[in-house]
Amino acid sequence: MKISSQYKLIIFSSIFFTLFYNYSFFTNVIKTYSFSGLNSIYILSTALLLVSFLTLFFTIFSSKYTTKPLLLITIIISAFAAYFMDTYHVIIDDEMIRNSLQTNLSESSDLFSLKLVLYVVFLAIFPSYFIYKLKIEYKPFRQELFVKLKTIILSISIILIILFSFSKFYTSFFREHKPLRYHVNPIYWIYSIGNYVNKSVNSGPIVLKEIGLDAKIIPEKTTDGKIKRELVIMVVGEAARADRFSLNGYEKETNPLLKKEDIVNFPNMYSCGTSTAQSVPCMFSIFDKADYDYKKGISTQNVLDVLKHTKDVDILWRDNNSDSKGVALRVDFEDYRTAQTNTICDDECRDEGMLVGLDEYIKNHKDKDILIVLHQMGNHGPAYYKRYPKEFEKFTPVCKTNQLEQCTKEEVSNAYDNAILYTDYFLSKVINFLKPYSNDYETAMLYMSDHGESLGENGFYLHGMPYMLAPDEQKHIASVLWLGGEMREDYDIEKLNSYKNESFSQDNLFHTLLGLFEVGTDVYKKDMDILNDSRKPE
């Protein structure tokens, strides 16, 4: 099959993109303005505006050698973008792109579904094959240039006419409803890739800034002259919402074991981001949410580095998630996602497997303080039903598919809550692992989820929304603290428990960890240490 001009192909492709890849965009526009009266004309004008803008974009980069490859790449990526936006109502911004690139194959497989196959077949394979087989008739250079300029001028003219003709509507559209443009496919993901490249790739060589080089610990001694060592396990949770912990008033009993322990609960804890790639490096960094960005995160040492500078703390990071997102690059790291290292695996390797062998590690590092970080698989979606062993399926019926929109809200909630129930078991197991060591160490467990999760509220699923747009479900996270042995005697527990009325965030973690290990350094801020005010005077 032949076509007489590449610009006809571009126009047809732009119409195709507008009609078949922008269901999420037009759905949100209609929800905002309603398709009635003059609004119906305005909304139709956005379709023509999008066609004209896409035509302009593809025409600018068109040539005999670039038109087909550009269209093919855009079609394939846009098909996947359309699936995730239509199905989970996510936004493909630069943080979502970073999160996707840092997701491993196992996590990606959870997103595979028949619906995804249909999107790929009808929105990627079929149109790509058609364009690939299409023969374009190219004219001499001057004629091609003339048609190109004519197409550009025509596209710009239509864009300007629409914007000026409906200026009142578009003033509202761009100023008051900025989030609507985040759904435009492929325009916004193309912009986001450019933004991602600018932030992450095109930032020059990374020079790691050292912080806390003055860090030191003045060892405390017992009455018999022995040095008191600390053993702290930091559990980094995954997608655990605060409002799904029964400790925080949830009607289902999701924390039957933790409620039996003398834990301190932080019901008003908030995340630094809405994705693992953002939150995990941010929570361990010296920067608060307002100052943190990816470049600062990768080019500045974190709290684990500061603890290492003391020469008195040995650190181990065990990971049953994707990885540490760069946090554990300079400490001992062990991958527990496979049966080669994790001895507790069935359908997938379980979080509790990260506890196996820790006795040996502690034995081999008994002359120093110890921080062990355990990064959970936790409640990683959308396949929540895979996140727990079968004996934890207490809440039924359960959604047993990754296509959450096909399940009832009750089924999605039950699957998610069962995974929370398993986290409760895991955290209880961590506490009971530490208890025998409380005779020889000052022991503590600090649990903090990386971000929350949407479970269908207002049509949103999973996480990763831009922070300013994200619902509270994606930002309000679960967090608890357990103190054992002599460590517990160092703090006013009654005062700690009174903190349930105060709001904290992952910004506090950097300084709270330094406070737990009693590290002296200029980078430590007492007012950011959650535990400082409750520490008993020596």
Side-chain angles (χ1 to χ4, degrees), residues 148 173 187 286 413 517:
K148 181 171 185 171
F173 182 90
I187 300 299
I286 191 174
S413 288
F517 283 94

Side-chain angles (χ1 to χ4, degrees), residues 131-415:
I131 290 174
Y132 176 74
K133 299 296 288 185
L134 193 65
K135 291 184 179 179
I136 302 173
E137 294 181 2
Y138 292 98
K139 297 177 179 62
F141 176 76
R142 287 188 177 182
Q143 291 183 41
E144 283 288 331
L145 181 60
F146 175 75
V147 178
K148 181 171 185 171
L149 291 173
K150 188 168 69 172
T151 306
I152 290 173
I153 292 170
L154 179 62
S155 299
I156 293 174
S157 299
I158 293 173
I159 291 169
L160 293 176
I161 289 170
I162 292 173
L163 292 178
F164 283 112
S165 298
F166 305 119
S167 58
K168 193 173 181 179
F169 169 78
Y170 282 103
T171 299
S172 164
F173 182 90
F174 288 115
R175 287 185 180 179
E176 298 174 24
H177 302 289
K178 289 181 180 179
L180 289 176
R181 61 191 182 198
Y182 300 159
H183 299 273
V184 180
N185 189 10
I187 300 299
Y188 195 70
W189 69 254
I190 292 174
Y191 163 79
S192 297
I193 286 179
N195 202 23
Y196 171 78
V197 171
N198 182 55
K199 287 182 180 178
S200 308
V201 180
N202 192 29
S203 55
I206 297 171
V207 179
L208 188 66
K209 180 182 177 181
E210 296 180 321
I211 60 171
L213 293 176
D214 62 333
K216 60 182 179 181
I217 298 174
I218 299 174
E220 292 184 57
K221 293 186 178 181
T222 60
T223 53
D224 58 0
K226 292 182 179 179
I227 294 176
K228 292 164 61 177
R229 292 297 180 188
E230 295 192 10
L231 172 59
V232 178
I233 295 182
M234 167 79 197
V235 179
V236 179
E238 169 64 43
R241 287 166 48 161
D243 66 354
R244 292 307 176 102
F245 267 43
S246 55
L247 291 171
N248 297 325
Y250 187 46
E251 63 271 16
K252 294 180 188 175
E253 185 58 90
T254 53
N255 302 125
L257 298 177
L258 281 179
K259 77 174 184 179
K260 297 176 182 178
E261 302 292 347
D262 292 323
I263 58 104
V264 177
N265 183 36
F266 301 107
N268 299 306
M269 184 70 71
Y270 287 83
S271 67
C272 181
T274 62
S275 67
T276 305
Q278 175 81 359
S279 288
V280 170
C282 181
M283 67 197 287
F284 285 90
S285 80
I286 191 174
F287 304 105
D288 59 24
K289 179 191 169 298
D291 294 329
Y292 178 84
D293 61 40
Y294 176 75
K295 185 178 178 181
K296 284 182 178 179
I298 62 173
S299 60
T300 308
Q301 289 185 339
N302 57 58
V303 67
L304 304 188
D305 296 296
V306 177
L307 290 170
K308 275 192 70 175
H309 292 329
T310 66
K311 310 294 185 186
D312 236 340
V313 184
D314 283 336
I315 303 167
L316 172 66
W317 183 296
R318 284 188 171 180
D319 208 297
N320 195 36
N321 203 297
S322 49
D323 58 37
S324 73
K325 308 304 178 188
V327 176
L329 291 177
R330 295 168 293 278
V331 300
D332 292 338
F333 177 91
E334 294 175 353
D335 184 352
Y336 267 67
R337 292 171 296 173
T338 68
Q340 294 177 334
T341 49
N342 194 329
T343 58
I344 304 179
C345 300
D346 40 58
D347 295 336
E348 66 179 28
C349 289
R350 301 300 176 191
D351 291 333
E352 59 187 297
M354 291 189 287
L355 293 172
V356 178
L358 282 185
D359 289 307
E360 190 67 22
Y361 179 85
I362 294 168
K363 179 181 176 182
N364 293 334
H365 297 80
K366 60 184 178 181
D367 295 329
K368 290 186 179 182
D369 291 345
I370 298 172
L371 171 62
I372 297 167
V373 183
L374 305 177
H375 189 191
Q376 283 185 274
M377 177 58 82
N379 279 59
H380 196 287
Y384 307 120
Y385 68 99
K386 292 182 179 179
R387 302 289 92 92
Y388 53 87
K390 299 308 175 189
E391 59 267 27
F392 287 87
E393 196 160 279
K394 174 182 177 181
F395 308 112
T396 58
V398 166
C399 180
K400 295 200 173 183
T401 174
N402 56 8
Q403 293 183 258
L404 301 179
E405 76 285 358
Q406 293 184 0
C407 298
T408 65
K409 286 188 177 181
E410 181 190 11
E411 289 170 337
V412 174
S413 288
N414 285 339

Side-chain angles (χ1 to χ4, degrees), residues 476-521:
H476 189 190
I477 57 172
S479 182
V480 299
L481 170 72
W482 175 84
L483 299 172
E486 291 188 28
M487 179 81 85
R488 189 172 182 82
E489 296 175 8
D490 292 340
Y491 293 91
D492 184 338
I493 303 302
E494 186 176 344
K495 189 170 185 179
L496 269 177
N497 283 320
S498 72
Y499 290 169
K500 64 183 180 181
N501 299 317
E502 294 190 34
S503 182
F504 298 107
S505 76
Q506 291 175 342
D507 295 347
N508 297 103
L509 179 63
F510 182 96
H511 307 282
T512 300
L513 279 177
L514 292 180
L516 267 175
F517 283 94
E518 302 177 70
V519 177
T521 171

